[in-house]
Amino acid sequence: MASEVPPARFFVLDDDMRGPQDTKLDKAEPVHTGAAPRCPTCGGIIGMRIWLPPYRGRLELHGGDFGDFVEASGYDFLFSERLAKAFEAEGLTGLLGFHPVEVVGVRKKSKKTQALAVPRYFAVTARFGPGAVDEGGSHFRYASKAAACPDCRFIELDSIHGFTLQPGTWQGEDVFRPRGLPGRIVVSERFAEFTQRHGFTNMKLTPTEEYVWDPLRLGPPTASPGPS
């Protein structure tokens, strides 16, 4: 009898706030942006405005060293050169860009920070879809009960208390923005193993079924029937 294949595992990617390599980016003028992406089916906005050249910014060091992963704004973030090279060398997928970033200054927010050489960074953006949230296997508080578009599946949420992806929708991307939760960056188990093996820093990976976002402290829903 063939052994049963375990379901794929996914993780939400965030920076390691207040961690030893906590690094932030403040984009430097001139900041140019393009139009926000829209769903081809409903025409709704499914992302933040796209960051355009020149890619310039100031780094803020809240820890003792520079991180390999740096959040910028919206869906833009930075990879250090060593992270970017390893990502491409090992054939991981799901990112656009890899544009060199000019670091115009460094603000040291911690007394632990010493004089350090600034690594090279590259601006990247996570692709949208096709992996889609499984509403029946997720625990959401909905801000709106309006029917979601069957393509982008966008709907306003008050809180998230764990979610899963609909079987058969994920197409193997290692980094992506899922349909139904375009504001989150989700990564594959292969990406999680990759970061651990290389020891890449300033990354927090939370299993999707354990991920909580509850800014109003509403607590988990008593039921999550999905939008109607």
Side-chain angles (χ1 to χ4, degrees):
M1 179 183 295
S3 59
E4 184 176 349
V5 177
R9 298 187 67 208
F10 300 96
F11 303 80
V12 176
L13 172 62
D14 289 306
D15 68 345
D16 187 18
M17 186 178 295
R18 293 185 290 275
Q21 286 87 25
D22 185 4
T23 310
K24 303 288 192 295
L25 177 77
D26 182 16
K27 295 175 182 176
E29 296 292 342
V31 179
H32 297 156
T33 59
R38 291 182 176 273
C39 172
T41 299
C42 70
I45 294 175
I46 56 173
M48 306 290 286
R49 287 181 173 271
I50 300 170
W51 189 19
L52 299 176
Y55 301 101
R56 305 172 72 246
R58 295 177 179 85
L59 295 176
E60 289 190 354
L61 272 181
H62 296 262
D65 201 352
F66 294 98
D68 289 300
F69 174 77
V70 180
E71 287 190 344
S73 62
Y75 310 123
D76 302 311
F77 47 94
L78 308 187
F79 272 11
S80 68
E81 184 175 29
R82 79 180 190 110
L83 173 52
K85 285 184 174 180
F87 186 94
E88 294 186 317
E90 298 195 20
L92 274 70
T93 63
L95 293 178
L96 301 170
F98 291 94
H99 303 293
V101 175
E102 179 188 358
V103 177
V104 299
V106 177
R107 298 190 184 101
K108 299 177 181 179
K109 299 291 188 176
S110 171
K111 294 180 180 179
K112 298 179 181 179
T113 304
Q114 305 299 319
L116 300 167
V118 181
R120 291 187 67 199
Y121 283 101
F122 295 84
V124 295
T125 303
R127 295 179 184 271
F128 178 66
V133 168
D134 182 359
E135 292 166 358
S138 303
H139 301 280
F140 300 146
R141 282 186 179 273
Y142 294 93
S144 169
K145 288 293 183 180
C149 168
D151 190 1
C152 68
R153 304 193 183 190
F154 177 79
I155 193 166
E156 293 184 8
L157 298 174
D158 280 334
S159 65
I160 303 169
H161 301 271
F163 66 93
T164 61
L165 297 185
Q166 182 179 335
T169 59
W170 178 59
Q171 299 299 311
E173 300 85 2
D174 292 297
V175 186
F176 61 98
R177 294 186 291 124
R179 291 187 292 145
L181 279 180
R184 302 301 181 276
I185 306 299
V186 173
V187 301
S188 67
E189 189 168 12
R190 182 169 77 140
F191 182 89
E193 186 276 332
F194 160 80
T195 60
Q196 183 177 23
R197 174 162 42 86
H198 286 279
F200 293 125
T201 59
N202 198 36
M203 291 183 176
K204 180 181 178 182
L205 297 175
T206 306
T208 56
E209 63 272 15
E210 299 175 11
Y211 178 76
V212 175
W213 176 77
D214 190 4
L216 300 178
R217 299 184 179 181
L218 301 173
T222 55
S224 184
S228 59

